[in-house]
């Protein structure tokens, strides 16, 4: 068991508050006890003294007269007895009797150093006259009084000390139990309190009653817990805020736009990664610099200063600046960026900094410029396009009006360009156009404009003409420049152009009409035999008008059932037996009369009307073949002409298959006639379609062989069955020996390739003999029959299907 001082020491350090409380209680209660005890002891002391005094008074009153008498009587014995009587009284220890005149009697003794109290009184003889006989001095010893006092003090001190001690212990215990141990818990809780244990509330070792909750300790505990909760909430909020800030800063850092943040003095505080990527300036290296003066190049910075001054001014006034800026990278390279500059404001609306967002719009700018070019220029040739040409024409007309001069408008169309495109392919066509554009431009003065209107059409504007003749000179120059051959795909190609000319103000004062007139004149030039030019005349407008009319009539020909198929027999040369029939299209127009295909097929091709018309032809031809079988029992084949445009139409294959199945016609009875032109473009697409047709069992023939390029190589690579020698060769086959030799060569070559031969345009018997002799398989021509309408052809079939040879 530890010794008392150690325990005391432990108590003192372990519970200083209790110790202090104890000390104060002890101090105050001791002081209070001391004062109370002192007052009580003093009053007891006073009481004892007054008892002694009253005893002295009793001695005086009781003994004065009897002592006087004894003295008067000189009765010594009595005197002594009386004095002994007085001495026996408590506390009285000494008597001194002074007898007159000068004797004295002393009785008793005063202990040394004793504290005494004396009372003196006279002894008087009461006779006639009063006579003083002596005086008695009574002395009392106060020692007993003091002894009593000491004892009392001792007892009071002892009892008071014990009482104080026990009360203090009790108070300490109560204080300890109700207060200090909880304070210690709180202190320990506060000491251990950290962000890690925010979730543990402070609990005290006492019942959680309302009265407890309301006392000071309870309130402090609650305050503690509220503080903990607030802190916990603050922490959560802070973490959330930190996450948000982190997210935002990441977003800014990874933003696809460049972000620069400046302080209030427009000094860079932050620049993100994209900014570095875009400009080449390191984000950290430019901190503190002005966004308009990042470069080391002073000249550049000076250029920027103006811009940034106005940006600052506007941001301060209006609150935002945005615009497109041609900035430069660190390496001096220029680029376009779209900038948005806004102030960053605090809660009170004051600018604390500035935000500069930038986006690289170089690509967009390039596109814009490209679009602008595209809107006005032809991409292929780089010449102005139709829009810009019309603008220039209007300007030229306005100027001519002011200066009373003339303007020549030339419409150029390359001759047979479609043919080149179809045969040599589009790339060759493009190269041709580029070269043609160059040649045309080379014939013109600087003030003239040459434009590409589209396809193979060009427009030339000749301002400030002195007369129509000067336009003719230009036209001749252009025609001459087309003279030399063009080299396309390693081949030499000759191409010419037809030119139509209209003059302001003679032909019209309106740009649109002038163009129309030049177009009409161009058609006239083509009609004259290509590679020529023509000036507009009044009659021409009627021609071009007719063309337009024809186009609109043709559009309605199908639905008005103006189209009709004629059929021409194809016969076996050797036997004269009917082999097949070729379907030939006719257009019966109420106004124009019977229109032959050579007149309207090119227009139908140009306008695309050939697609629906061609589908109708195939359908009708298949139907006719099926009908013949039903009505005459003859199983003859049907040949149908297909134009290149029709052939390339994505719906073509489908239309053919549909026609076969609709009419229940065997595919091998259908033969598609294709002109050489189609094959020469050599496209894989054409080859695919031809192969698909062949796979389906449809027969394929090359029509008008000899008029095109007559390249024999393609005959090998495509799945053809038949070759049709053009009528121009057959015409003179018996008259011109070279034509005869050519036809002979074609026949033997075709046979060696496994192809059958049809000779077209056979008109005379001699021709049939020649063909028979040369082993030509089949023949077709007026000699056998003209093309006939279906009804007549059926009649012909019934009566006359074997042609005598
Ligand atoms: P083609 O395919 O070479 O047709 C033969 C042309 O020669 C037919 O002219 C026919 O009437 C004519 N002909 C027949 N025998 C003789 C003869 O003995 N002497 C002379 N001088 N000519 C004869 P048509 O009907 O005017 O057709 C002209 C061209 O129009 C056809 O030439 C063909 O390429 C095209 N064509 C005709 N019908 C169609 C069609 O339905 N579609 C397409 N795309 N083209 C067609
Ligand atoms: Mg034909
Ligand atoms: Mg033909």
């Amino acid at each position: 068991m530890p010794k008392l001082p150690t325990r005391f020491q432990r108590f003192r350090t372990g519970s200083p508050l209790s110790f202090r409380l104890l000390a104060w209680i002890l101090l105050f209660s001791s002081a209070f006890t001391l004062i109370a005890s002192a007052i009580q002891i003093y009053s007891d002391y006073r009481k004892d003294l007054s008892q002694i005094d009253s005893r002295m008074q009793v001695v005086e009153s009781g003994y004065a007269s009897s002592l006087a008498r004894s003295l008067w009587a000189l009765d010594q014995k009595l005197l002594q007895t009386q004095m002994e009587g007085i001495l026996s009284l408590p506390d009285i220890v000494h008597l001194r009797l002074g007898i007159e005149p000068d004797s004295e009697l002393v009785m008793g003794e005063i202990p040394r150093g004793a504290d005494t109290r004396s009372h003196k009184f006279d002894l008087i003889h009461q006779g006639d006259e009063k006579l003083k006989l002596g005086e008695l001095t009574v002395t009392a010893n106060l020692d007993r009084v003091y002894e009593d006092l000491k004892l009392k003090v001792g007892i009071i001190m002892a009892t008071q000390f014990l009482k104080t001690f026990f009360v203090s212990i009790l108070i300490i215990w109560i204080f300890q139990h109700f207060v200090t141990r909880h304070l210690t818990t709180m202190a320990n809780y506060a000491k251990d309190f950290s962000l890690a244990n925010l979730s543990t509330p402070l609990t005290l070792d006492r019942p959680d009653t309302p009265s407890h909750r309301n006392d000071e300790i309870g309130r402090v505990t609650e305050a503690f817990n509220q503080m903990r909760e607030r802190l916990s909430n603050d922490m959560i909020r802070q973490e959330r805020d930190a996450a948000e800030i982190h997210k935002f800063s990441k977003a800014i850092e990874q933003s696809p736009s460049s972000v620069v943040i400046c302080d209030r003095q427009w000094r860079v505080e932050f620049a993100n990664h994209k900014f570095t990527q875009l400009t080449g300036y390191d984000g950290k290296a430019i901190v503190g610099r002005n966004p308009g003066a990042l470069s080391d190049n002073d000249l550049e910075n000076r250029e920027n200063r103006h811009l940034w001054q106005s940006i600052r001014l506007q941001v301060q006034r209006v609150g935002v600046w945005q615009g497109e800026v041609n900035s430069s990278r660190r390496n001096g390279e220029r680029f376009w960026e779209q900038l948005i500059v806004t102030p960053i404001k605090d809660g009170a609306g004051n600018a604390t900094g500035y935000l500069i967002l930038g986006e690289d719009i170089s690509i967009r700018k390039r596109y814009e410029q490209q679009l602008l070019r595209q809107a006005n220029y032809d991409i292929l040739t780089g010449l102005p396009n139709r829009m810009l040409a019309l603008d220039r024409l209007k300007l030229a007309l306005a100027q001519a009006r002011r200066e009373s001069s003339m303007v020549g408008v030339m419409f150029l169309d390359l001759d047979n360009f479609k043919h080149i495109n179809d045969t040599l392919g589009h790339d060759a066509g493009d190269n041709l156009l580029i070269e043609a554009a160059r040649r045309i431009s080379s014939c013109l003065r600087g003030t003239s404009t040459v434009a590409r209107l589209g396809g193979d059409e060009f427009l030339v504007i000749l301002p400030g003409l002195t007369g129509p003749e000067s336009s003719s000179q230009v036209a001749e120059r252009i025609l001459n420049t087309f003279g030399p051959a063009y080299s396309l795909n390693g081949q030499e190609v000759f191409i010419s152009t037809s030119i139509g000319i209209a003059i302001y103000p003679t032909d019209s004062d309106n740009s649109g009409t002038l163009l129309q007139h030049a177009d009409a004149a161009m058609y006239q030039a083509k009609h004259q035999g290509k590679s020529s030019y023509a000036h507009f005349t009044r009659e021409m407008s009627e021609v071009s008008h007719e063309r337009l009319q024809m186009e609109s009539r043709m559009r309605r020909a199908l639905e008005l059932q103006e189209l009709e198929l004629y059929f021409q027999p194809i016969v076996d040369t050797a036997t004269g037996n009917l082999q097949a029939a070729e379907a030939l299209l006719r257009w019966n127009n109420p106004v124009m009369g019977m229109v032959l295909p050579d007149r309207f097929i090119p227009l139908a091709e140009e306008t695309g009307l050939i697609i629906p018309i061609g589908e109708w032809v195939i359908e009708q031809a298949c139907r006719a073949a099926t009908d013949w079988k039903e009505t005459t029992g003859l199983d003859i084949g049907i040949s149908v002409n297909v134009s290149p445009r029709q052939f390339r139409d994505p719906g073509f294959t489908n239309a053919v298959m549909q026609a076969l199945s609709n009419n229940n016609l065997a595919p091998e009875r259908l033969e598609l006639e294709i002109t050489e032109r189609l094959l020469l473009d050599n496209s894989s697409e054409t080859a695919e379609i031809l192969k698909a047709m062949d796979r389906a069992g449809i027969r394929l023939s090359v029509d008008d062989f000899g008029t095109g390029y007559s390249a024999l190589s393609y005959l090998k690579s495509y799945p053809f069955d038949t070759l049709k020698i053009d009528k121009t060769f057959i015409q003179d086959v018996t008259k011109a020996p070279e034509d005869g030799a050519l036809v002979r060569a074609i026949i033997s070559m075709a046979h060696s390739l496994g192809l059958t031969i049809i000779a077209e345009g056979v008109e005379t018997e001699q021709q049939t003999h020649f063909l028979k002799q040369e082993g030509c398989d089949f023949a077709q021509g007026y000699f056998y029959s003209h093309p006939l309408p279906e009804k007549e052809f059926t009649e012909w079939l019934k009566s006359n299907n074997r042609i005598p040879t």
Side-chain angles (χ1 to χ4, degrees), residues 568 582 585-586 597 641 703-704 727 760-761 763 781-782 787:
Q568 189 178 34
E582 179 174 3
L585 187 58
R586 300 289 179 265
N641 294 285
D703 203 354
D704 303 339
K727 51 181 177 278
E760 291 188 306
E763 292 182 357
Y782 295 164

Side-chain angles (χ1 to χ4, degrees), residues 522-542:
M522 189 275 294
Y523 267 95
Q524 179 61 32
K526 278 232 192 276
H527 217 69
Q528 283 166 17
K530 307 191 170 168
S531 193
S532 65
Y533 69 89
H535 279 272
F536 172 75
T537 59
R538 285 289 138 211
E539 301 83 64
M540 284 178 194
S541 60
E542 281 156 27

Side-chain angles (χ1 to χ4, degrees), residues 274-341:
K274 183 70 190 178
F275 177 82
T276 309
Q277 243 181 15
L278 197 62
T279 61
Y281 289 108
D282 179 28
K284 290 195 180 71
I286 58 158
V287 168
R289 293 169 78 168
N290 198 286
L294 299 179
S295 170
D296 301 326
N297 180 340
D298 284 342
L299 188 78
E300 211 169 89
N301 288 344
R302 223 171 305 140
E303 275 174 27
N304 276 340
R305 193 163 30 177
H306 235 69
L307 169 73
W308 279 94
Q309 255 167 11
S310 60
I311 290 178
R312 265 179 252 172
L313 214 67
Q314 187 174 336
V315 171
Q316 269 143 22
R317 274 200 208 132
V318 186
V320 63
W321 184 93
Q322 61 176 310
E324 292 172 359
V325 179
N326 189 238
S327 310
S328 57
R329 300 186 214 277
R330 195 172 175 204
N331 60 12
E333 201 184 310
R334 311 287 305 189
F335 71 103
W336 279 96
E337 68 176 329
Q338 158 111 37
L339 285 186
I340 301 177
V341 186

